[in-house]
Amino acid sequence: MTSTKITTTKVIAKKTKPATDQLEFGRHFTDHMFVMDYHTDKGWYDPRIVPYQAITLDPAAMVYHYGQTVFEGLKAYVTETNDVHLFRPEQNVKRLNRSNERMCIPEIDEELALRALKELVKLEKEWIPNAPGTSLYIRPFVIATEPYLGVAPSKQYKFVIILSPVGAYYKEGINPVKIAVENKYIRAIKGGTGEAKTAGNYAGSLIAQEKVSDAGYAQVLWLDGLEKKYIEEVGSMNVFFKINGEVITPALNGSILPGVTRNSVIQLLKHWNIPVKEEKIALEDIKIAYKNGSLEEAFGAGTAAVISPIGEFACEDETIVINNHQTGDLAKRLYDTLTGIQYGKIKDPFDWIVKLT
Amino acid sequence: MTSTKITTTKVIAKKTKPATDQLEFGRHFTDHMFVMDYHTDKGWYDPRIVPYQAITLDPAAMVYHYGQTVFEGLKAYVTETNDVHLFRPEQNVKRLNRSNERMCIPEIDEELALRALKELVKLEKEWIPNAPGTSLYIRPFVIATEPYLGVAPSKQYKFVIILSPVGAYYKEGINPVKIAVENKYIRAIKGGTGEAKTAGNYAGSLIAQEKVSDAGYAQVLWLDGLEKKYIEEVGSMNVFFKINGEVITPALNGSILPGVTRNSVIQLLKHWNIPVKEEKIALEDIKIAYKNGSLEEAFGAGTAAVISPIGEFACEDETIVINNHQTGDLAKRLYDTLTGIQYGKIKDPFDWIVKLT
Ligand SMILES: Cc1ncc(COP(=O)(O)O)c(C=O)c1O
Ligand SMILES: Cc1ncc(COP(=O)(O)O)c(C=O)c1O
């Protein structure tokens, strides 16, 4: 597999690129996409870069019925010296295969996946916006395509990579968000699919997200499915708290998505000699820390926002206000360091950056 | 909406129908399908019967990424007098809308959905096989089609109905199956999506199903996600036990799919004055009943098999053998009565049958 060649068919006419100030998240797509097919008789075959185009499937294709699918999300950044940076892409490819395993989808050769990703981004280099905070979002995904209504793993799949130029997450500077603690709906539970990046986790979360955004909150804080006592994650970010000078984040317990940003934050904190622990965290303990004045900061960590300071948690019975709705120093330092590394403005002591050549 | 006309475009050349002895489940599809679109600006629009054809969607269509989808499953039967029977189709349409609500998909007019289903089946009447035990499987489903990578309810959907002629579930007479109790993986939990008929529930279950079928079991018995102590359901069937002359089935607790067959079994038992209870059932209590000799029967109930007697449960530490691996009298009576009503061989005291005219 390692030497499999990726063929390329280029578009005849390129699309007009959206103006930088019109960029949103996930609304515009580039001229080309990567596609590779799978059949149990052949394995993964025909890796190819082709013009961005619709996917045509039988209405009985299993993805429409039983949701056997996984996806990933990462970004490419253009630096001031016009280099293209990917941030830890091998981590996304590894997680893709861990998700595949849980969802009974055949493993994808990681070298090939990484190469596909790099070749596609390179071809679309002029699509990477260069205004501050902008980037090219990369969305690899796998869908089950066999036309069959039996509940069983599909015998056919498509692995696709699409690219979307995205605007800055913080248009007016990094700003704390309000988060609502979710008490009714559950995102995931150990033994379920929470650890995998798969469609069903997101479909099931929409109802909670809708409820809170109607009430003015940015995202929900998910509690554990068993006791609804322990903190899991925030919308599509992992969550961190700084209490009494120490940083804690929920331990990976089988229902939390293991974020690449989460892992990077932990490594950075260790590098800075700031104490950091991965533990089971009761919401109650956060309330106690709030009351005794030791809750210093809270923030989310994920590819989209990088670091998202949290200014307020709305619980059923009380509201926790953090750092007077101001961005904390640690959140700011992490944001500046991570984005600095991503955009090549500061040194990368961890070899996180993969530069496209 | 009630008076919305469904337009019909017929195929030019019909497909060759598969021979009855080659019918499987969900492998062959008829000549036509029903399609209706949704856009937030227009509501549901353009209900139409068209030639069976592929669905073409942007690779960013939300169904591929966030799995916002629901489906249903029911059957049409042809009687000896050449009538076409649907079994409680209004129940499926109601459940479709309950699933829609959980998945943030806009409600579908139930009268229109029912009419679509009937018109399509009527047009495809010659596809309904008439050998004993065969039927036409009806698969309505909704998929999110907006090309957008934000995690939010889609602004566009497609509602589709496809039809598949299916062979007899029991080719050599009704026969008890072996079921393995699942201890590691979880299907659903209250607050999640278990009550809805949505893709993610099935995607997440494949790994457990694969594990047990490799070991020779037909399906898994799911335990509750909280304590892994209480019985939920079997693969894609609800489950019943007969203990000491009384029938019990797990109460609908927020994580079990409310089966139409389950409801019909309960009504029949009441009609026959056989005691029936909907309760929380501990696996331990089934083991105790087995040991003291009061466990008389166990069976699954669902559209595909109608009634599926269970001959054996494999638990971690022991094997429960039921009625000496023979089909119980009650399972047989329920099977004969339900299929008798479906195929119009016996009277329908409940007005369950909708006859197509
Ligand atoms: C549910 C969930 N949690 C956490 C994250 C953060 O992961 P990452 O840092 O790899 O983007 C994501 C993805 O973006 C997510 O979807
Ligand atoms: C998970 C699950 N449980 C139970 C059932 C039985 O439901 P019904 O009797 O409506 O077919 C089904 C559907 O077929 C199912 O998918």
Side-chain angles (χ1 to χ4, degrees):
Chain A
M1 199 71 163
T2 306
S3 58
T4 315
K5 201 177 151 4
I6 298 169
T7 62
T8 300
T9 310
K10 291 194 189 166
V11 290
I12 297 174
K14 290 183 181 173
K15 300 181 200 171
T16 309
K17 296 182 183 58
T20 303
D21 60 356
Q22 284 183 353
L23 290 174
E24 295 175 65
F25 177 83
R27 285 270 178 218
H28 300 98
F29 300 93
T30 69
D31 290 312
H32 300 87
M33 64 201 256
F34 172 83
V35 186
M36 176 161 75
D37 293 297
Y38 179 92
H39 192 290
T40 29
D41 297 343
K42 301 205 227 178
W44 287 106
Y45 66 95
D46 198 8
R48 57 200 186 272
I49 289 171
V50 292
Y52 188 90
Q53 60 194 269
I55 296 176
T56 296
L57 297 178
D58 194 284
M62 294 176 94
V63 61
Y64 295 144
H65 304 270
Y66 307 128
Q68 203 192 354
T69 161
V70 298
F71 71 93
E72 269 304 327
L74 67 160
K75 286 175 171 177
Y77 309 86
V78 69
T79 69
E80 280 170 356
T81 54
N82 212 22
D83 285 322
V84 177
H85 281 182
L86 298 177
F87 185 73
R88 310 186 72 186
E90 74 292 345
Q91 296 298 319
N92 295 88
V93 170
K94 281 203 178 106
R95 187 170 63 188
L96 185 75
N97 268 335
R98 288 201 307 272
S99 299
N100 280 340
E101 198 181 340
R102 177 62 182 84
M103 304 314 292
C104 301
I105 295 175
E107 193 178 355
I108 295 173
D109 183 273
E110 297 185 4
E111 183 278 330
L112 177 61
L114 214 50
R115 190 149 46 87
L117 210 143
K118 289 186 207 167
E119 284 193 23
L120 181 64
V121 173
K122 219 161 121 182
L123 178 65
E124 303 290 56
K125 184 177 168 180
E126 60 196 37
W127 276 93
I128 314 180
N130 60 10
T134 63
S135 58
L136 186 70
Y137 183 76
I138 306 170
R139 168 57 58 92
F141 63 103
V142 182
I143 53 176
T145 56
E146 189 190 1
Y148 175 45
L149 298 184
V151 180
S154 177
K155 296 198 163 80
Q156 295 164 46
Y157 301 87
K158 263 186 202 301
F159 173 43
V160 181
I161 308 176
I162 54 177
L163 306 177
S164 172
V166 299
Y169 195 89
Y170 298 105
K171 298 213 161 52
E172 292 128 19
I174 180 169
N175 227 341
V177 292
K178 292 185 188 180
I179 302 285
V181 177
E182 176 55 44
N183 289 296
K184 182 173 174 196
Y185 298 106
I186 291 300
R187 193 192 87 95
I189 186 174
K190 190 174 151 86
T193 58
E195 256 181 345
K197 220 164 155 66
T198 184
N201 297 336
Y202 299 82
S205 76
L206 296 174
I207 197 168
Q209 180 63 40
E210 265 213 319
K211 191 179 66 176
V212 306
S213 44
D214 290 349
Y217 296 95
Q219 304 221 310
V220 302
L221 177 77
W222 295 106
L223 298 179
D224 76 284
L226 289 180
E227 301 179 63
K228 295 193 193 163
K229 271 191 192 165
Y230 300 98
I231 290 173
E232 299 240 315
E233 52 189 309
V234 164
S236 41
M237 298 189 286
N238 296 109
V239 65
F240 289 79
F241 298 90
K242 182 161 167 260
I243 298 177
N244 238 342
E246 256 195 4
V247 180
I248 52 171
T249 188
L252 300 178
N253 59 357
S255 55
I256 292 174
L257 190 88
V260 177
T261 318
R262 176 187 181 279
N263 178 279
S264 309
V265 165
I266 293 172
Q267 285 192 50
L268 267 178
L269 293 172
K270 287 185 176 160
H271 185 69
W272 292 337
N273 288 317
I274 295 174
V276 53
K277 292 188 299 192
E278 301 176 60
E279 288 192 342
K280 207 164 165 174
I281 307 175
L283 177 62
E284 201 46 43
D285 289 337
I286 299 300
K287 290 184 183 175
I288 291 171
Y290 169 59
K291 270 172 212 147
N292 69 26
S294 61
L295 177 58
E296 296 156 9
E297 294 191 31
F299 53 87
T303 295
V306 187
I307 297 293
S308 178
I310 296 167
E312 183 179 320
F313 286 107
C315 310
E316 233 167 355
D317 46 356
E318 64 186 305
T319 298
I320 299 177
V321 174
I322 296 157
N323 199 29
N324 203 17
H325 289 110
Q326 303 302 306
T327 299
D329 292 340
L330 183 62
K332 183 79 173 64
R333 183 176 176 198
L334 284 164
Y335 179 80
D336 289 344
T337 308
L338 285 168
T339 55
I341 292 173
Q342 287 161 346
Y343 288 93
K345 289 188 179 156
I346 61 180
K347 216 178 137 280
D348 165 21
F350 305 99
D351 265 338
W352 283 339
I353 294 302
V354 172
K355 197 188 278 195
L356 292 197
T357 48
Chain B
M1 198 74 166
T2 306
S3 59
T4 314
K5 201 178 153 5
I6 299 169
T7 63
T8 299
T9 310
K10 291 194 189 169
V11 290
I12 296 173
K14 291 184 181 172
K15 300 181 198 171
T16 309
K17 296 182 182 57
T20 302
D21 61 359
Q22 285 181 353
L23 290 175
E24 295 174 65
F25 177 82
R27 284 270 179 220
H28 300 98
F29 299 92
T30 69
D31 289 311
H32 300 85
M33 65 202 257
F34 172 83
V35 186
M36 176 162 73
D37 295 296
Y38 179 91
H39 192 289
T40 29
D41 297 344
K42 300 205 228 178
W44 286 106
Y45 66 96
D46 198 8
R48 57 202 186 270
I49 289 171
V50 293
Y52 188 89
Q53 61 194 268
I55 296 175
T56 297
L57 298 178
D58 194 283
M62 294 177 93
V63 61
Y64 295 145
H65 303 270
Y66 308 127
Q68 203 193 355
T69 162
V70 299
F71 71 93
E72 269 304 327
L74 68 160
K75 288 175 170 176
Y77 310 86
V78 69
T79 70
E80 279 169 356
T81 52
N82 212 22
D83 285 321
V84 176
H85 280 183
L86 299 178
F87 185 73
R88 309 186 73 187
E90 74 292 345
Q91 296 297 318
N92 295 88
V93 170
K94 281 204 179 102
R95 187 169 63 189
L96 185 75
N97 268 335
R98 288 200 308 273
S99 299
N100 280 340
E101 198 180 340
R102 177 62 183 82
M103 305 314 292
C104 300
I105 295 175
E107 193 178 356
I108 295 172
D109 182 273
E110 297 186 3
E111 183 278 331
L112 177 60
L114 214 52
R115 188 148 48 87
L117 210 143
K118 288 187 207 166
E119 284 193 23
L120 181 64
V121 172
K122 219 163 122 183
L123 178 66
E124 302 291 56
K125 183 176 170 181
E126 61 195 37
W127 275 93
I128 314 178
N130 60 12
T134 63
S135 58
L136 186 70
Y137 183 76
I138 306 170
R139 168 57 57 93
F141 63 104
V142 182
I143 53 176
T145 57
E146 190 191 0
Y148 175 45
L149 298 183
V151 179
S154 177
K155 295 200 165 81
Q156 295 165 45
Y157 301 87
K158 263 185 200 302
F159 173 44
V160 181
I161 307 176
I162 55 177
L163 306 178
S164 172
V166 299
Y169 194 90
Y170 297 106
K171 298 213 162 49
E172 291 129 19
I174 180 169
N175 226 340
V177 292
K178 292 183 186 181
I179 302 285
V181 177
E182 176 56 46
N183 289 294
K184 182 173 173 195
Y185 298 106
I186 292 300
R187 192 192 88 95
I189 187 175
K190 190 175 152 87
T193 58
E195 255 181 346
K197 220 166 154 68
T198 184
N201 297 336
Y202 299 82
S205 77
L206 296 173
I207 197 168
Q209 180 63 39
E210 264 212 318
K211 191 178 69 176
V212 306
S213 45
D214 290 349
Y217 296 93
Q219 304 222 312
V220 303
L221 178 76
W222 295 107
L223 298 179
D224 77 284
L226 288 181
E227 302 181 61
K228 295 194 192 163
K229 270 191 191 165
Y230 300 98
I231 291 173
E232 298 240 316
E233 51 188 310
V234 164
S236 42
M237 297 188 287
N238 296 108
V239 64
F240 289 80
F241 299 89
K242 182 162 167 261
I243 298 177
N244 238 341
E246 256 193 4
V247 179
I248 51 169
T249 189
L252 300 177
N253 60 357
S255 55
I256 293 174
L257 190 89
V260 177
T261 318
R262 175 187 182 281
N263 178 280
S264 309
V265 166
I266 293 171
Q267 285 193 50
L268 267 178
L269 292 172
K270 287 183 177 164
H271 184 70
W272 292 338
N273 288 317
I274 295 174
V276 53
K277 290 188 299 194
E278 301 176 61
E279 287 190 346
K280 205 163 166 176
I281 306 174
L283 177 61
E284 201 46 44
D285 288 338
I286 299 300
K287 290 183 182 174
I288 292 170
Y290 169 59
K291 270 170 211 146
N292 70 25
S294 60
L295 177 58
E296 296 158 8
E297 292 191 33
F299 54 87
T303 295
V306 187
I307 297 293
S308 179
I310 296 167
E312 184 179 318
F313 285 107
C315 311
E316 233 169 355
D317 47 356
E318 64 185 304
T319 298
I320 298 176
V321 174
I322 295 156
N323 199 27
N324 203 17
H325 289 111
Q326 303 300 308
T327 299
D329 292 339
L330 183 62
K332 182 82 172 63
R333 185 176 175 197
L334 284 164
Y335 179 80
D336 289 344
T337 308
L338 285 168
T339 56
I341 291 172
Q342 287 161 345
Y343 289 94
K345 289 188 177 156
I346 61 180
K347 214 177 138 285
D348 165 21
F350 306 98
D351 265 337
W352 283 340
I353 294 301
V354 173
K355 198 189 275 195
L356 293 198
T357 48

